[in-house]
Amino acid sequence: DGGITQSPKYLFRKEGQNVTLSCEQNLNHDAMYWYRQDPGQGLRLIYYSQIVNDFQKGDIAEGYSVSREKKESFPLTVTSAQKNPTAFYLCASTPGTGGSTNEKLFFGSGTQLSVL
Amino acid sequence: AQTVTQSQPEMSVQEAETVTLSCTYDTSESNYYLFWYKQPPSRQMILVIRQEAYKQQNATENRFSVNFQKAAKSFSLKISDSQLGDTAMYFCAFRETSGSRLTFGEGTQLTVNP
């Protein structure tokens, strides 16, 4: 079955440590996104990528980094500069990159990151 | 920048009754797309319904329908014959026609009581 796989489901970070969240899709989608969700709040966009080897900052990119070396993969690194990383992280994708389409987002099942 | 506002943090409804969730948005664009997503306790995001701004007819999907008021920049979701499985966080979202990013509201936690 096609879909988006996020791993791990739960992740713990120590102080000063960088951690990487994995996101893989086999839908052949061009665009991929990372969202952060805090308890009782909506989703905020961290980074997005519309094409391989290119990505743009979202609304809350500070303390995060991404890469898009392959179409199917869009890993997110939470760096030590992110002082409040505890949140639920959702990866998503869409077939195209915008334009006159009402494409929906396909979501992964998320990664819960907590600080030890 | 576009903003999406959901003014009802929590709502509850009795099973089989009807409930309406509110959403307003701010944009200078004339054409765009609006979405309602559902997030049950599993935290999996599920698309409920979507609306294209240039279409005047309100979208419907089985028990779910929207009331789209473009001039008022309002996009409410009506759930008819509420079921226990409708208990979830509901998010309103906005997307420009020319862009690929989706902007979400803060969500409304809906509880359906037996």
Side-chain angles (χ1 to χ4, degrees), chain A residues 10-42:
Chain A
Y10 298 96
L11 185 59
F12 298 90
R13 193 191 89 166
K14 295 180 180 179
E15 292 287 339
Q17 184 182 44
N18 292 355
V19 293
T20 298
L21 284 60
S22 171
C23 178
E24 303 277 335
Q25 53 99 357
N26 60 4
L27 300 165
N28 199 34
H29 285 178
D30 288 317
M32 297 186 74
Y33 310 80
W34 275 106
Y35 284 91
R36 169 178 171 145
Q37 185 179 20
D38 292 283
Q41 297 189 26

Side-chain angles (χ1 to χ4, degrees), chain A residues 33 35 37 40-43 45 48 50 59 88 90 97-105 107-109 112, chain B residues 33 35 37 39 42-45 47 50 52 89 91 95-107:
Chain A
Y33 310 80
Y35 284 91
Q37 185 179 20
Q41 297 189 26
L43 281 65
L45 184 64
Y48 64 106
Q50 296 178 298
D59 299 318
F88 186 61
L90 281 161
T97 58
S100 57
T101 171
N102 63 354
E103 295 168 343
K104 70 172 187 177
L105 284 176
F107 282 92
S109 56
Q112 175 64 50
Chain B
Y33 301 101
F35 305 81
Y37 278 86
Q39 188 180 42
S42 67
R43 297 205 282 188
Q44 180 68 48
M45 294 289 285
L47 178 67
R50 55 187 157 189
E52 298 170 68
M89 181 75 87
F91 293 101
R95 176 180 175 179
E96 293 177 345
T97 303
S98 58
S100 64
R101 53 185 294 170
L102 215 58
T103 300
F104 287 84
E106 293 192 348

Side-chain angles (χ1 to χ4, degrees), chain A residues 11-87:
Chain A
L11 185 59
F12 298 90
R13 193 191 89 166
K14 295 180 180 179
E15 292 287 339
Q17 184 182 44
N18 292 355
V19 293
T20 298
L21 284 60
S22 171
C23 178
E24 303 277 335
Q25 53 99 357
N26 60 4
L27 300 165
N28 199 34
H29 285 178
D30 288 317
M32 297 186 74
Y33 310 80
W34 275 106
Y35 284 91
R36 169 178 171 145
Q37 185 179 20
D38 292 283
Q41 297 189 26
L43 281 65
R44 292 183 291 169
L45 184 64
I46 305 172
Y47 268 100
Y48 64 106
S49 169
Q50 296 178 298
I51 195 170
V52 174
N53 292 323
D54 188 41
F55 48 82
Q56 288 79 42
K57 292 182 179 180
D59 299 318
I60 55 166
E62 186 174 351
Y64 300 96
S65 65
V66 293
S67 63
R68 186 86 187 276
E69 297 177 0
K70 298 185 296 182
K71 187 175 184 178
E72 58 268 26
S73 179
F74 191 41
L76 173 74
T77 296
V78 184
T79 73
S80 57
Q82 173 49 247
K83 298 306 180 186
N84 185 22
T86 297

